[in-house]
Amino acid sequence: MSGARDESAVSRGEQVEAAERDAARRRLLEQAEAERVPVEETTWAVPDRRWRREQR
């Protein structure tokens, strides 16, 4: 095998790995965005003192 052919094979392998990493990153970001809960839809914690007062 020639040196140029070895370099292109390694380079091609690195390109494939980089493309796979990029695709996986995009999938994770899309999944995170789909599961994201807007701040407006979250609930506020009730302070413990107020909760106890309402229990009486």
Side-chain angles (χ1 to χ4, degrees), residues 14-33:
E14 290 173 351
Q15 289 174 356
V16 169
E17 288 180 10
E20 289 173 350
R21 280 193 304 270
D22 191 47
R25 185 179 62 80
R26 274 192 247 115
R27 282 193 305 271
L28 285 172
L29 289 173
E30 288 171 5
Q31 180 182 2
E33 182 63 26

Side-chain angles (χ1 to χ4, degrees), residues 19-56:
E20 289 173 350
R21 280 193 304 270
D22 191 47
R25 185 179 62 80
R26 274 192 247 115
R27 282 193 305 271
L28 285 172
L29 289 173
E30 288 171 5
Q31 180 182 2
E33 182 63 26
E35 294 175 357
R36 187 178 68 84
V37 176
V39 173
E40 297 82 24
E41 295 181 14
T42 58
T43 58
W44 290 88
V46 176
D48 195 38
R49 291 186 311 266
R50 194 167 65 185
W51 181 81
R52 285 187 188 149
R53 208 176 326 150
E54 293 172 0
Q55 294 297 315
R56 291 183 188 166

Side-chain angles (χ1 to χ4, degrees), residues 3-19:
R5 189 169 186 182
D6 289 343
E7 290 176 12
S8 67
V10 171
S11 177
R12 178 67 181 146
E14 290 173 351
Q15 289 174 356
V16 169
E17 288 180 10

